[in-house]
Structure formats: structure tokens, C-alpha cells
Amino acid sequence: MTVVERAERKTALLRQTVGLVERLRIVEAEHASLIKQRDDQCRELRAAGVAIKELQEAFGVSRSRIQQILSDS
């Protein structure tokens, strides 16, 4: 591989990396938003009288996680 080819390859990899990092930031922000929505929904359901066991099943998490979500409000 020539010096020029290496430089072109490095430039291409750096561009790919920048794009990947930007996508990751977007996905992380979306993930945080979805977690907040899930937690808010969990609290609303509990306030509406849904049992913790039902919340566990609906959200697919443990009892302790449900209790943690509820106590974080």
C-alpha cells in the first residue's frame, strides 16, 4: 500500500468514525428519552391501580426494578 493509499484509507476511516459517533449520540439520546417515557408510563399505571406483578410482566423487568422506577419519582 502506497503512502497516498494509506492516507486515503485513513481519511475514509476517520469519516466513517465521525458518522458512527454521531449516530451513536442520536441513538443514546433516543434511548434516554424512551427510558424516561417507560418510567413515566410505569408510574402512571401504578397510580391507576395496576399491581406491581402486572407491571413486571408488562415491562419485562424484575420486581426490584419496578420498585426502583416507582421510588425514583
Side-chain angles (χ1 to χ4, degrees), residues 52 55-56 59-69:
I52 288 180
L55 293 173
Q56 282 178 253
F59 290 102
V61 297
S62 68
R63 179 179 188 85
S64 62
R65 182 66 186 120
I66 293 295
Q67 290 173 332
Q68 183 182 29
I69 290 168

Side-chain angles (χ1 to χ4, degrees), residues 4-21:
V4 172
E5 290 171 333
R6 271 197 303 264
E8 289 171 348
R9 177 80 175 131
K10 189 166 60 172
T11 301
L13 288 170
L14 286 170
R15 282 189 188 128
Q16 288 174 357
T17 300
V18 168
L20 180 65
V21 169

Side-chain angles (χ1 to χ4, degrees), residues 32-66:
S33 174
L34 290 170
I35 292 294
K36 184 184 178 326
Q37 289 176 39
R38 180 204 63 187
D39 293 356
D40 291 346
Q41 189 74 26
C42 182
R43 286 188 280 276
E44 285 184 45
L45 286 165
R46 184 65 176 146
V50 175
I52 288 180
K53 183 158 182 71
E54 289 176 289
L55 293 173
Q56 282 178 253
E57 292 170 4
F59 290 102
V61 297
S62 68
R63 179 179 188 85
S64 62
R65 182 66 186 120
I66 293 295

